[in-house]
Amino acid sequence: MAALILFGGGGDLAMRMLLPSLYFLDHDGLLPDDLKIIGAARSSESAEDYVAKVREAVKPRAEADDGWDEASWARMKSRLDYLAVDATDPASLAPLKARCGDDDVTSFLAVSPSLYGRIVTAMKAAGLAEKNCRIVLEKPVGRDLESFREIDDAVAHAFDERQVFRIDHYLGKETVQNLIALRFGNTIFEPLWNNLTVDHVQITVGETVGVGDRWPYYDEYGALRDMLQNHMLQLLCLVAMEPPSDLDPDSVRNEKVKVLRSLRPVTPEEVERVTVRGQYVAGQVEGQSVQSYDEERGQPSDTETFVAVRADIDNWRWAGVPFFMRTGKRLREKRTEIVIQFKPVPHSIFGHGEVSANRLIIELQPEEDISLTVMNKKPGLDQRMQLQPIKMSLSWGQDGKDAAPPRRRIAYERLLLDALKGDSTLFVRRDEAEQAWKWVDEVSDAWDGARFRPLDYAAGTWGPETADLLLSRTGRRWNTRDE
């Protein structure tokens, strides 16, 4: 028997992501037959009321994605249970332990990270941290290296590292995993994946939404800690890491840690040259007038809603190749992508016409695709050969022109399944998180040391103008489609 406990089981993350993911996994026959799913939260509702709430959350998502199936719901409904608990109190967790018995237990903490330390301490006292137990931690864990270590020390006191699964849902995206296959399963790419042929790398995570009523959380973390510390550095690691010896979890994560350790520190003297901070002011997004961050918050703030950074990896493979990362709220479009920009040919033999350098684009949202831009002869009878760039899709699901692509899975589906199986390959190890926090703290300290305040940018743009200068001063430019 096995049990999955969702602490915060009635909250936004559980209802919007986790429970729909579990429905789809059950629909596809991927969950263990004997798995119990137990929602645990402070609300004193009955199990029947909780199950009704889950159905209300899951059904619209299922109808929009793959169709609602009553038989699949009946199977999932039979798994569901609910207990009202105070997760920080061992006595309150005793009925939960009794409900699980000696089952293998995976607990997902979909609650505020500020409660992690108290919860895991209570779990250990209640017998929910035994050798057959696992725990999944949702980011962000802490807001700097010191607070991360404080929380994680409490986790380590209750659970061995092999039992801890620090989740970053970006690593569950199909295209991110396909990046590993593209790099290490094809001889045409890996020999080119170095400073001899790659000019630079761009990583963009753009959002059109504002902070809204999430400002109390966002005001504490900002774009640097909310996005760059975890999602963007994880993407950078997958692009830059050396080939692992195999796909064993520690083999992959060892290589990611080496990348993080090779990141050049950002100093107060360099911070203005290699970073940009921004905060959105009122503007137009998708044809709608929107407020500034300060107006949403109700008072002035120095919190950044946009950050762009040039990262340099000081090792043999990447010496001299800049990695440019940018992320922000209220940008022109919702887009997450990685761009591998190759160097141009050393000399063009084609006379008139520009020969564009090859470019590999890994799109994560709104679509998931991998495309390669190459030069091709332009059709015609011109005496001089004319070239044109063409883009080839390398994504799965493109076998036939009219073939329907497979359903786009929620990233949590893969990660929940891996956690239940005990496969930690796509989860973040402690030393990995520590190195990421160390580098981000250096950026934050450099901002403080240089008194580097956020620059205004109008909502609906691509951030402050200085973000363009970050690249243009080196003769490069962002991959922005509307230019």
PDB file of all heavy atoms in Angstrom, residues 147-165:
ATOM      1  N   SER A 147      18.594  31.584   5.458  1.00  0.00           N
ATOM      2  CA  SER A 147      17.267  31.067   5.800  1.00  0.00           C
ATOM      3  C   SER A 147      17.031  29.700   5.157  1.00  0.00           C
ATOM      4  O   SER A 147      16.346  28.853   5.737  1.00  0.00           O
ATOM      5  CB  SER A 147      16.175  32.058   5.378  1.00  0.00           C
ATOM      6  OG  SER A 147      16.247  32.334   3.994  1.00  0.00           O
ATOM      7  N   PHE A 148      17.598  29.470   3.959  1.00  0.00           N
ATOM      8  CA  PHE A 148      17.496  28.143   3.356  1.00  0.00           C
ATOM      9  C   PHE A 148      18.132  27.099   4.273  1.00  0.00           C
ATOM     10  O   PHE A 148      17.548  26.030   4.513  1.00  0.00           O
ATOM     11  CB  PHE A 148      18.169  28.118   1.980  1.00  0.00           C
ATOM     12  CG  PHE A 148      18.354  26.720   1.445  1.00  0.00           C
ATOM     13  CD1 PHE A 148      17.293  26.035   0.872  1.00  0.00           C
ATOM     14  CD2 PHE A 148      19.588  26.073   1.552  1.00  0.00           C
ATOM     15  CE1 PHE A 148      17.453  24.734   0.409  1.00  0.00           C
ATOM     16  CE2 PHE A 148      19.757  24.774   1.083  1.00  0.00           C
ATOM     17  CZ  PHE A 148      18.690  24.110   0.509  1.00  0.00           C
ATOM     18  N   ARG A 149      19.324  27.380   4.756  1.00  0.00           N
ATOM     19  CA  ARG A 149      20.020  26.412   5.614  1.00  0.00           C
ATOM     20  C   ARG A 149      19.260  26.182   6.911  1.00  0.00           C
ATOM     21  O   ARG A 149      19.198  25.057   7.411  1.00  0.00           O
ATOM     22  CB  ARG A 149      21.436  26.896   5.900  1.00  0.00           C
ATOM     23  CG  ARG A 149      22.395  26.700   4.723  1.00  0.00           C
ATOM     24  CD  ARG A 149      23.752  27.292   5.003  1.00  0.00           C
ATOM     25  NE  ARG A 149      24.722  26.896   3.975  1.00  0.00           N
ATOM     26  CZ  ARG A 149      25.895  27.492   3.791  1.00  0.00           C
ATOM     27  NH1 ARG A 149      26.241  28.530   4.568  1.00  0.00           N
ATOM     28  NH2 ARG A 149      26.712  27.071   2.850  1.00  0.00           N
ATOM     29  N   GLU A 150      18.659  27.224   7.436  1.00  0.00           N
ATOM     30  CA  GLU A 150      17.892  27.080   8.682  1.00  0.00           C
ATOM     31  C   GLU A 150      16.709  26.135   8.482  1.00  0.00           C
ATOM     32  O   GLU A 150      16.469  25.228   9.297  1.00  0.00           O
ATOM     33  CB  GLU A 150      17.408  28.455   9.143  1.00  0.00           C
ATOM     34  CG  GLU A 150      16.638  28.419  10.455  1.00  0.00           C
ATOM     35  CD  GLU A 150      16.189  29.809  10.893  1.00  0.00           C
ATOM     36  OE1 GLU A 150      16.731  30.802  10.385  1.00  0.00           O
ATOM     37  OE2 GLU A 150      15.272  29.878  11.733  1.00  0.00           O
ATOM     38  N   ILE A 151      15.973  26.342   7.372  1.00  0.00           N
ATOM     39  CA  ILE A 151      14.833  25.472   7.080  1.00  0.00           C
ATOM     40  C   ILE A 151      15.305  24.062   6.758  1.00  0.00           C
ATOM     41  O   ILE A 151      14.763  23.072   7.256  1.00  0.00           O
ATOM     42  CB  ILE A 151      14.007  26.048   5.910  1.00  0.00           C
ATOM     43  CG1 ILE A 151      13.344  27.360   6.317  1.00  0.00           C
ATOM     44  CG2 ILE A 151      12.950  25.048   5.453  1.00  0.00           C
ATOM     45  CD1 ILE A 151      12.703  28.110   5.155  1.00  0.00           C
ATOM     46  N   ASP A 152      16.333  23.968   5.930  1.00  0.00           N
ATOM     47  CA  ASP A 152      16.768  22.659   5.467  1.00  0.00           C
ATOM     48  C   ASP A 152      17.446  21.855   6.567  1.00  0.00           C
ATOM     49  O   ASP A 152      17.444  20.623   6.519  1.00  0.00           O
ATOM     50  CB  ASP A 152      17.696  22.796   4.261  1.00  0.00           C
ATOM     51  CG  ASP A 152      17.411  21.757   3.194  1.00  0.00           C
ATOM     52  OD1 ASP A 152      16.258  21.729   2.715  1.00  0.00           O
ATOM     53  OD2 ASP A 152      18.306  20.963   2.866  1.00  0.00           O
ATOM     54  N   ASP A 153      18.025  22.531   7.552  1.00  0.00           N
ATOM     55  CA  ASP A 153      18.580  21.802   8.703  1.00  0.00           C
ATOM     56  C   ASP A 153      17.464  21.085   9.451  1.00  0.00           C
ATOM     57  O   ASP A 153      17.636  19.947   9.914  1.00  0.00           O
ATOM     58  CB  ASP A 153      19.311  22.765   9.643  1.00  0.00           C
ATOM     59  CG  ASP A 153      20.684  23.163   9.115  1.00  0.00           C
ATOM     60  OD1 ASP A 153      21.170  22.515   8.164  1.00  0.00           O
ATOM     61  OD2 ASP A 153      21.266  24.132   9.644  1.00  0.00           O
ATOM     62  N   ALA A 154      16.312  21.757   9.577  1.00  0.00           N
ATOM     63  CA  ALA A 154      15.163  21.117  10.228  1.00  0.00           C
ATOM     64  C   ALA A 154      14.674  19.934   9.402  1.00  0.00           C
ATOM     65  O   ALA A 154      14.328  18.874   9.952  1.00  0.00           O
ATOM     66  CB  ALA A 154      14.038  22.133  10.427  1.00  0.00           C
ATOM     67  N   VAL A 155      14.657  20.089   8.080  1.00  0.00           N
ATOM     68  CA  VAL A 155      14.256  18.991   7.200  1.00  0.00           C
ATOM     69  C   VAL A 155      15.239  17.829   7.340  1.00  0.00           C
ATOM     70  O   VAL A 155      14.839  16.661   7.440  1.00  0.00           O
ATOM     71  CB  VAL A 155      14.190  19.463   5.737  1.00  0.00           C
ATOM     72  CG1 VAL A 155      13.925  18.291   4.800  1.00  0.00           C
ATOM     73  CG2 VAL A 155      13.100  20.527   5.573  1.00  0.00           C
ATOM     74  N   ALA A 156      16.536  18.145   7.373  1.00  0.00           N
ATOM     75  CA  ALA A 156      17.560  17.106   7.475  1.00  0.00           C
ATOM     76  C   ALA A 156      17.515  16.373   8.815  1.00  0.00           C
ATOM     77  O   ALA A 156      17.906  15.207   8.907  1.00  0.00           O
ATOM     78  CB  ALA A 156      18.942  17.727   7.272  1.00  0.00           C
ATOM     79  N   HIS A 157      17.033  17.038   9.851  1.00  0.00           N
ATOM     80  CA  HIS A 157      16.898  16.392  11.157  1.00  0.00           C
ATOM     81  C   HIS A 157      15.793  15.339  11.140  1.00  0.00           C
ATOM     82  O   HIS A 157      15.850  14.340  11.865  1.00  0.00           O
ATOM     83  CB  HIS A 157      16.603  17.444  12.228  1.00  0.00           C
ATOM     84  CG  HIS A 157      16.490  16.878  13.614  1.00  0.00           C
ATOM     85  ND1 HIS A 157      17.566  16.373  14.321  1.00  0.00           N
ATOM     86  CD2 HIS A 157      15.408  16.728  14.431  1.00  0.00           C
ATOM     87  CE1 HIS A 157      17.170  15.942  15.489  1.00  0.00           C
ATOM     88  NE2 HIS A 157      15.855  16.133  15.595  1.00  0.00           N
ATOM     89  N   ALA A 158      14.796  15.559  10.273  1.00  0.00           N
ATOM     90  CA  ALA A 158      13.659  14.625  10.212  1.00  0.00           C
ATOM     91  C   ALA A 158      13.826  13.586   9.111  1.00  0.00           C
ATOM     92  O   ALA A 158      13.400  12.441   9.273  1.00  0.00           O
ATOM     93  CB  ALA A 158      12.363  15.411  10.000  1.00  0.00           C
ATOM     94  N   PHE A 159      14.435  13.969   7.980  1.00  0.00           N
ATOM     95  CA  PHE A 159      14.523  13.083   6.815  1.00  0.00           C
ATOM     96  C   PHE A 159      15.963  12.995   6.317  1.00  0.00           C
ATOM     97  O   PHE A 159      16.696  13.986   6.343  1.00  0.00           O
ATOM     98  CB  PHE A 159      13.652  13.620   5.664  1.00  0.00           C
ATOM     99  CG  PHE A 159      12.180  13.616   5.926  1.00  0.00           C
ATOM    100  CD1 PHE A 159      11.563  14.707   6.528  1.00  0.00           C
ATOM    101  CD2 PHE A 159      11.394  12.526   5.566  1.00  0.00           C
ATOM    102  CE1 PHE A 159      10.196  14.719   6.762  1.00  0.00           C
ATOM    103  CE2 PHE A 159      10.028  12.523   5.802  1.00  0.00           C
ATOM    104  CZ  PHE A 159       9.429  13.621   6.401  1.00  0.00           C
ATOM    105  N   ASP A 160      16.355  11.834   5.842  1.00  0.00           N
ATOM    106  CA  ASP A 160      17.621  11.702   5.120  1.00  0.00           C
ATOM    107  C   ASP A 160      17.507  12.408   3.778  1.00  0.00           C
ATOM    108  O   ASP A 160      16.411  12.538   3.230  1.00  0.00           O
ATOM    109  CB  ASP A 160      17.961  10.224   4.881  1.00  0.00           C
ATOM    110  CG  ASP A 160      18.268   9.485   6.179  1.00  0.00           C
ATOM    111  OD1 ASP A 160      18.670  10.151   7.156  1.00  0.00           O
ATOM    112  OD2 ASP A 160      18.088   8.248   6.198  1.00  0.00           O
ATOM    113  N   GLU A 161      18.654  12.823   3.225  1.00  0.00           N
ATOM    114  CA  GLU A 161      18.638  13.537   1.941  1.00  0.00           C
ATOM    115  C   GLU A 161      17.965  12.718   0.847  1.00  0.00           C
ATOM    116  O   GLU A 161      17.265  13.258  -0.009  1.00  0.00           O
ATOM    117  CB  GLU A 161      20.069  13.907   1.535  1.00  0.00           C
ATOM    118  CG  GLU A 161      20.196  14.606   0.184  1.00  0.00           C
ATOM    119  CD  GLU A 161      19.506  15.961   0.127  1.00  0.00           C
ATOM    120  OE1 GLU A 161      19.322  16.599   1.189  1.00  0.00           O
ATOM    121  OE2 GLU A 161      19.124  16.373  -0.988  1.00  0.00           O
ATOM    122  N   ARG A 162      18.140  11.421   0.846  1.00  0.00           N
ATOM    123  CA  ARG A 162      17.538  10.587  -0.198  1.00  0.00           C
ATOM    124  C   ARG A 162      16.009  10.584  -0.121  1.00  0.00           C
ATOM    125  O   ARG A 162      15.329  10.202  -1.084  1.00  0.00           O
ATOM    126  CB  ARG A 162      18.052   9.152  -0.097  1.00  0.00           C
ATOM    127  CG  ARG A 162      17.639   8.448   1.176  1.00  0.00           C
ATOM    128  CD  ARG A 162      18.056   6.995   1.245  1.00  0.00           C
ATOM    129  NE  ARG A 162      17.604   6.366   2.482  1.00  0.00           N
ATOM    130  CZ  ARG A 162      16.389   5.927   2.697  1.00  0.00           C
ATOM    131  NH1 ARG A 162      15.480   6.016   1.725  1.00  0.00           N
ATOM    132  NH2 ARG A 162      16.049   5.379   3.852  1.00  0.00           N
ATOM    133  N   GLN A 163      15.446  11.008   1.008  1.00  0.00           N
ATOM    134  CA  GLN A 163      13.996  11.052   1.169  1.00  0.00           C
ATOM    135  C   GLN A 163      13.405  12.411   0.803  1.00  0.00           C
ATOM    136  O   GLN A 163      12.181  12.565   0.796  1.00  0.00           O
ATOM    137  CB  GLN A 163      13.619  10.757   2.632  1.00  0.00           C
ATOM    138  CG  GLN A 163      14.026   9.386   3.137  1.00  0.00           C
ATOM    139  CD  GLN A 163      13.779   9.260   4.641  1.00  0.00           C
ATOM    140  OE1 GLN A 163      14.577   9.705   5.464  1.00  0.00           O
ATOM    141  NE2 GLN A 163      12.637   8.683   4.992  1.00  0.00           N
ATOM    142  N   VAL A 164      14.272  13.398   0.507  1.00  0.00           N
ATOM    143  CA  VAL A 164      13.827  14.779   0.298  1.00  0.00           C
ATOM    144  C   VAL A 164      13.785  15.088  -1.198  1.00  0.00           C
ATOM    145  O   VAL A 164      14.766  14.879  -1.913  1.00  0.00           O
ATOM    146  CB  VAL A 164      14.750  15.773   1.023  1.00  0.00           C
ATOM    147  CG1 VAL A 164      14.250  17.206   0.812  1.00  0.00           C
ATOM    148  CG2 VAL A 164      14.825  15.442   2.514  1.00  0.00           C
ATOM    149  N   PHE A 165      12.653  15.621  -1.666  1.00  0.00           N
ATOM    150  CA  PHE A 165      12.448  15.950  -3.079  1.00  0.00           C
ATOM    151  C   PHE A 165      12.078  17.430  -3.183  1.00  0.00           C
ATOM    152  O   PHE A 165      10.930  17.800  -2.951  1.00  0.00           O
ATOM    153  CB  PHE A 165      11.353  15.067  -3.683  1.00  0.00           C
ATOM    154  CG  PHE A 165      11.725  13.612  -3.754  1.00  0.00           C
ATOM    155  CD1 PHE A 165      11.756  12.827  -2.605  1.00  0.00           C
ATOM    156  CD2 PHE A 165      12.069  13.034  -4.966  1.00  0.00           C
ATOM    157  CE1 PHE A 165      12.117  11.495  -2.664  1.00  0.00           C
ATOM    158  CE2 PHE A 165      12.430  11.698  -5.039  1.00  0.00           C
ATOM    159  CZ  PHE A 165      12.463  10.926  -3.883  1.00  0.00           C
TER     160      PHE A 165
END
